[in-house]
Short mmCIF file of all heavy atoms in Angstrom, two decimals:
data_model
loop_
_atom_site.label_atom_id
_atom_site.label_comp_id
_atom_site.label_asym_id
_atom_site.label_seq_id
_atom_site.Cartn_x
_atom_site.Cartn_y
_atom_site.Cartn_z
N MET A 187 0.84 -1.20 0.00
CA MET A 187 0.00 0.00 0.00
C MET A 187 0.87 1.24 0.00
O MET A 187 1.87 1.30 0.69
CB MET A 187 -0.92 -0.01 1.23
CG MET A 187 -1.79 1.24 1.33
SD MET A 187 -2.79 1.26 2.84
CE MET A 187 -3.83 -0.17 2.53
N SER A 188 0.46 2.22 -0.77
CA SER A 188 1.22 3.46 -0.82
C SER A 188 1.08 4.24 0.48
O SER A 188 0.03 4.25 1.11
CB SER A 188 0.73 4.32 -2.00
OG SER A 188 1.33 5.59 -1.95
N ILE A 189 2.17 4.90 0.89
CA ILE A 189 2.12 5.75 2.07
C ILE A 189 1.75 7.18 1.69
O ILE A 189 1.67 8.05 2.54
CB ILE A 189 3.47 5.74 2.82
CG1 ILE A 189 4.57 6.39 1.95
CG2 ILE A 189 3.85 4.36 3.23
CD1 ILE A 189 5.88 6.57 2.67
N PHE A 190 1.52 7.42 0.37
CA PHE A 190 1.31 8.78 -0.09
C PHE A 190 -0.15 9.06 -0.43
O PHE A 190 -0.81 8.28 -1.13
CB PHE A 190 2.14 9.06 -1.34
CG PHE A 190 3.59 9.31 -1.05
CD1 PHE A 190 4.57 8.60 -1.71
CD2 PHE A 190 3.97 10.26 -0.12
CE1 PHE A 190 5.92 8.85 -1.46
CE2 PHE A 190 5.29 10.52 0.15
CZ PHE A 190 6.27 9.80 -0.52
N SER A 191 -0.65 10.18 0.03
CA SER A 191 -1.87 10.79 -0.46
C SER A 191 -1.46 12.13 -1.06
O SER A 191 -0.28 12.49 -1.05
CB SER A 191 -2.86 11.01 0.68
OG SER A 191 -2.32 11.94 1.61
N SER A 192 -2.41 12.87 -1.60
CA SER A 192 -2.07 14.16 -2.19
C SER A 192 -1.42 15.09 -1.18
O SER A 192 -0.39 15.70 -1.44
CB SER A 192 -3.33 14.81 -2.77
OG SER A 192 -3.05 16.09 -3.29
N ASP A 193 -2.02 15.19 0.02
CA ASP A 193 -1.48 16.08 1.04
C ASP A 193 -0.14 15.58 1.56
O ASP A 193 0.78 16.37 1.82
CB ASP A 193 -2.47 16.23 2.20
CG ASP A 193 -3.70 17.03 1.80
OD1 ASP A 193 -3.62 17.76 0.79
OD2 ASP A 193 -4.72 16.90 2.49
N SER A 194 -0.02 14.25 1.72
CA SER A 194 1.22 13.73 2.29
C SER A 194 2.38 13.83 1.31
O SER A 194 3.53 13.95 1.71
CB SER A 194 1.03 12.28 2.73
OG SER A 194 0.67 11.45 1.64
N ARG A 195 2.11 13.79 -0.01
CA ARG A 195 3.17 14.03 -0.99
C ARG A 195 3.73 15.44 -0.83
O ARG A 195 4.94 15.65 -0.90
CB ARG A 195 2.65 13.85 -2.41
CG ARG A 195 2.62 12.40 -2.90
CD ARG A 195 2.43 12.33 -4.40
NE ARG A 195 2.32 10.93 -4.81
CZ ARG A 195 1.18 10.26 -4.88
NH1 ARG A 195 0.05 10.88 -4.56
NH2 ARG A 195 1.16 9.00 -5.24
N THR A 196 2.83 16.40 -0.63
CA THR A 196 3.27 17.77 -0.43
C THR A 196 4.13 17.89 0.82
O THR A 196 5.18 18.55 0.81
CB THR A 196 2.06 18.71 -0.34
OG1 THR A 196 1.29 18.62 -1.55
CG2 THR A 196 2.50 20.16 -0.13
N THR A 197 3.70 17.24 1.90
CA THR A 197 4.47 17.25 3.15
C THR A 197 5.84 16.64 2.95
O THR A 197 6.86 17.18 3.39
CB THR A 197 3.71 16.48 4.25
OG1 THR A 197 2.44 17.09 4.46
CG2 THR A 197 4.50 16.49 5.56
N TRP A 198 5.86 15.50 2.27
CA TRP A 198 7.14 14.83 2.00
C TRP A 198 8.05 15.71 1.15
O TRP A 198 9.24 15.87 1.45
CB TRP A 198 6.91 13.50 1.29
CG TRP A 198 8.17 12.93 0.73
CD1 TRP A 198 9.14 12.24 1.39
CD2 TRP A 198 8.64 13.06 -0.63
NE1 TRP A 198 10.17 11.92 0.53
CE2 TRP A 198 9.89 12.41 -0.70
CE3 TRP A 198 8.10 13.64 -1.78
CZ2 TRP A 198 10.62 12.33 -1.89
CZ3 TRP A 198 8.82 13.57 -2.95
CH2 TRP A 198 10.07 12.92 -3.01
N ALA A 199 7.51 16.31 0.08
CA ALA A 199 8.32 17.12 -0.83
C ALA A 199 8.90 18.33 -0.11
O ALA A 199 10.06 18.69 -0.31
CB ALA A 199 7.48 17.56 -2.03
N GLN A 200 8.10 18.97 0.72
CA GLN A 200 8.59 20.13 1.46
C GLN A 200 9.69 19.74 2.43
O GLN A 200 10.68 20.46 2.59
CB GLN A 200 7.43 20.81 2.17
CG GLN A 200 6.45 21.49 1.22
CD GLN A 200 5.20 22.00 1.91
OE1 GLN A 200 4.89 21.60 3.03
NE2 GLN A 200 4.47 22.89 1.24
N ALA A 201 9.53 18.57 3.09
CA ALA A 201 10.57 18.09 4.00
C ALA A 201 11.83 17.72 3.22
O ALA A 201 12.96 17.98 3.68
CB ALA A 201 10.06 16.88 4.79
N PHE A 202 11.65 17.14 2.05
CA PHE A 202 12.78 16.75 1.20
C PHE A 202 13.59 17.98 0.79
O PHE A 202 14.82 18.01 0.92
CB PHE A 202 12.24 16.03 -0.04
CG PHE A 202 13.30 15.45 -0.94
CD1 PHE A 202 13.80 14.18 -0.73
CD2 PHE A 202 13.77 16.18 -2.02
CE1 PHE A 202 14.78 13.66 -1.56
CE2 PHE A 202 14.74 15.67 -2.86
CZ PHE A 202 15.24 14.39 -2.63
N ILE A 203 12.88 19.02 0.33
CA ILE A 203 13.56 20.25 -0.10
C ILE A 203 14.25 20.94 1.06
O ILE A 203 15.40 21.38 0.96
CB ILE A 203 12.55 21.20 -0.77
CG1 ILE A 203 12.12 20.66 -2.14
CG2 ILE A 203 13.14 22.60 -0.95
CD1 ILE A 203 13.25 20.57 -3.15
N SER A 204 13.57 21.03 2.20
CA SER A 204 14.16 21.73 3.35
C SER A 204 15.35 20.99 3.91
O SER A 204 16.20 21.59 4.57
CB SER A 204 13.11 21.92 4.45
OG SER A 204 12.69 20.67 4.97
N GLY A 205 15.46 19.69 3.63
CA GLY A 205 16.59 18.90 4.12
C GLY A 205 17.80 18.92 3.22
O GLY A 205 18.85 18.38 3.58
N ILE A 206 17.69 19.50 2.02
CA ILE A 206 18.82 19.59 1.09
C ILE A 206 19.45 20.97 1.25
O ILE A 206 18.81 21.98 0.91
CB ILE A 206 18.36 19.39 -0.37
CG1 ILE A 206 17.76 17.99 -0.54
CG2 ILE A 206 19.53 19.59 -1.32
CD1 ILE A 206 17.18 17.76 -1.92
#
Side-chain angles (χ1 to χ4, degrees):
M187 178 184 296
S188 172
I189 65 173
F190 282 128
S191 64
S192 177
D193 290 340
S194 60
R195 277 194 184 90
T196 301
T197 301
W198 167 80
Q200 291 172 343
F202 186 87
I203 289 296
S204 64
I206 298 175

